[in-house]
Amino acid sequence: MSAQETPNPGKTIETPKGAWTITFLLFLFMLVNFADKIVVGLAGVPIMTELKLTPEQFGLLGSSFFFLFSISAIVVGFIVNKVPTRWVLLALAVVWAVTQFPMVGTVSFTTLLICRIVLGAGEGPAFSVAAHAIYKWFPDEKRTLPTAILSQGSAFGVIIAVPALNWIIVNHSWHYAFGALGIVGLIWVCVWLALGKEGPLEDTQALAVSETKIPYVQLLTSRTFLGCVAATFGAYWALSLGLTWFTPFIIKGLGFSQSQAGWISVLPWVFGATIVLLTGWISQLMMARGSTTRVARGVLGSVPLVIGGLILAAMPHVQGAGLQLALLVVGTGLCGAIYVVCPPMLGEFTPASQRGAILAIYGALYTLSGIIAPTVMGTVIQHASSTLEGYMTGFTINAAIMVGSGLLGLLLLWPNTERARLTGGTAAQSAPLKSAVSPT
């Protein structure tokens, strides 16, 4: 059988029983993941006040989370090519839980910094490993919606956690917010230990993509891989600013209270959740109606980045906190589309035996913006003539990066022809697995 031939031509690959249960558990996994990420930004003002931190120091704290994020993602990405994802996911979640508890008592800036670095190392591989696990449960043409649901763990992690954590911060202490997250993490560990399973489609999908491995240098230099990294880099710049600086901006830049900021902070994530789910649904619908993955994934994910960047660029030029917040919410929320489409695009042309590593390297590269963005914002704020002016300059930089990354995505994302080129087939053969499966 050649690399382009697939078993049982014309026959639909059915979704195995239990696939949606695993999807829901991994949705909760990502929910915990992003609740862990957001807590520093949410408690930013109390932390800066208690520890007497400057904006540059707080920016360093936000960036520290990503110091080992990328390295860990790559290492674990290669590990999951050999080790069942069930056990890797379990180990990651244990690390998340354990690193929260030192903050319950009196803590120094150094201790907080170290715990965030270790937490980042544990969370770096999270999305790529979870996506790799889900792709063992769904055939290619059915992956976009589960990927969207997985991505929504991040949004709901903020939407659900922010009001609860903010209540703890306001009524008790920011220290206890960290402790609550540690307990929630341990609960997920227990549930996954009881219900988590490995997907059965690994061998089928390996044949559906390619029987032989493709050299990593070809995969990593393919234009679609580079396009995914470039496009998601810009989206993650906005996300990392949201995690670290959105709540302090609401309080110190716009003058809202901590209690008010807790509710306002969920707005970008509510809007972003809507965008992600719509993108997943529209993409899958377009593919079912015959669109190439270039259009149904590449274009659909890149255009919102450009539009979002242009909206964000208007922030410094309007008056009023309400309008500025609306532009910030819509502009950054549109970034979510790219997270839905890039993992499935990479899965189109990557052999299943190499997919875990490629998804991890992709995640490791685009999340490098998480190291840069919070520090850049902190430096800009500290050296601006006013706090608000500093924030506006930082968001303008964010807007330019979003537009540029979206344009690179439009230029480079061609997953359908990529698969044909890498496997030596033809463009006709590279339609989204139509020779092997039927759209549903």
Side-chain angles (χ1 to χ4, degrees):
M1 184 181 291
S2 71
Q4 289 299 310
E5 292 173 1
T6 54
N8 302 317
K11 183 178 179 180
T12 301
I13 299 175
E14 298 295 334
T15 302
K17 183 180 180 181
W20 290 108
T21 299
I22 296 298
T23 301
F24 177 69
L25 291 176
L26 293 178
F27 163 84
L28 295 178
F29 176 78
M30 293 306 300
L31 188 152
V32 175
N33 177 286
F34 265 77
D36 290 343
K37 284 186 175 75
I38 195 68
V39 66
V40 161
L42 184 63
V45 173
I47 290 173
M48 283 189 278
T49 301
E50 182 177 324
L51 302 182
K52 298 180 174 58
L53 305 183
T54 66
E56 283 186 332
Q57 286 177 310
F58 186 69
L60 174 64
L61 180 62
S63 294
S64 69
F65 179 84
F66 297 97
F67 286 173
L68 297 179
F69 198 92
S70 297
I71 295 172
S72 173
I74 293 173
V75 171
V76 175
F78 280 96
I79 289 173
V80 295
N81 282 342
K82 305 295 183 181
V83 178
T85 54
R86 179 191 180 197
W87 301 115
V88 175
L89 291 164
L90 186 72
L92 294 177
V94 169
V95 171
W96 305 353
V98 170
T99 53
Q100 304 298 341
F101 293 116
M103 270 72 74
V104 173
T106 302
V107 62
S108 66
F109 175 64
T110 301
T111 301
L112 181 55
L113 197 70
I114 292 171
C115 286
R116 294 302 287 181
I117 292 171
V118 174
L119 177 65
E123 296 203 350
F127 184 80
S128 58
V129 175
H132 183 51
I134 277 185
Y135 293 171
K136 296 181 182 183
W137 289 91
F138 293 90
D140 180 70
E141 84 285 3
K142 296 179 182 178
R143 287 176 181 167
T144 310
L145 186 56
T147 304
I149 293 171
L150 180 66
S151 299
Q152 282 320 284
S154 61
F156 280 88
V158 176
I159 294 167
I160 295 172
V162 163
L165 293 174
N166 199 56
W167 182 88
I168 296 172
I169 292 167
V170 170
N171 293 281
H172 298 281
S173 166
W174 63 268
H175 298 274
Y176 293 118
F178 284 88
L181 289 172
I183 293 170
V184 170
L186 290 178
I187 292 172
W188 187 90
V189 166
C190 294
V191 174
W192 181 254
L193 191 59
L195 302 177
K197 297 178 182 178
E198 204 72 7
L201 293 186
E202 182 76 4
D203 293 338
T204 302
Q205 290 304 306
L207 289 172
V209 176
S210 174
E211 283 189 336
T212 58
K213 288 186 176 182
I214 298 171
Y216 277 104
V217 67
Q218 292 185 32
L219 293 169
L220 297 176
T221 57
S222 65
R223 64 180 177 181
T224 298
F225 179 86
L226 296 175
C228 279
V229 170
T232 319
F233 183 94
Y236 209 81
W237 187 289
L239 185 145
S240 59
L241 287 185
L243 291 171
T244 306
W245 284 108
F246 187 69
T247 304
F249 166 66
I250 295 169
I251 297 171
K252 291 194 168 185
L254 299 181
F256 290 92
S257 69
Q258 179 74 42
S259 296
Q260 292 170 322
W263 292 104
I264 295 170
S265 294
V266 305
L267 295 178
W269 303 92
V270 172
F271 182 75
T274 305
I275 293 297
V276 166
L277 290 174
L278 278 174
T279 302
W281 176 72
I282 292 170
S283 175
Q284 210 149 295
L285 183 64
M286 290 173 70
M287 290 180 64
R289 294 182 175 179
S291 294
T292 65
T293 51
R294 155 67 180 170
V295 176
R297 289 174 175 170
V299 175
L300 187 65
S302 300
V303 169
L305 265 174
V306 177
I307 296 173
L310 295 174
I311 291 172
L312 198 61
M315 269 186 71
H317 308 290
V318 301
Q319 299 297 318
L323 184 54
Q324 288 173 340
L325 277 173
L327 293 175
L328 181 59
V329 166
V330 175
T332 56
L334 286 170
C335 293
I338 198 68
Y339 299 112
V340 182
V341 297
C342 275
M345 279 192 285
L346 297 176
E348 282 185 58
F349 59 84
T350 303
S353 62
Q354 297 171 276
R355 188 177 59 219
I358 290 299
L359 288 174
I361 295 170
Y362 154 68
L365 292 175
Y366 79 71
T367 54
L368 289 174
S369 62
I371 298 176
I372 306 168
T375 298
V376 168
M377 179 67 93
T379 301
V380 168
I381 293 169
Q382 186 151 330
H383 295 282
S385 58
S386 70
T387 300
L388 183 59
E389 180 185 331
Y391 278 111
M392 291 303 170
T393 301
F395 288 130
T396 301
I397 294 170
N398 187 184
I401 290 170
M402 284 171 57
V403 171
S405 64
L407 292 175
L408 284 172
L410 283 173
L411 178 67
L412 297 173
L413 295 177
W414 293 80
N416 49 323
T417 57
E418 201 79 79
R419 176 170 170 252
R421 183 181 67 81
L422 289 170
T423 56
T426 64
Q429 289 173 308
S430 65
L433 296 183
K434 287 184 179 180
S435 62
V437 292
S438 301
T440 58

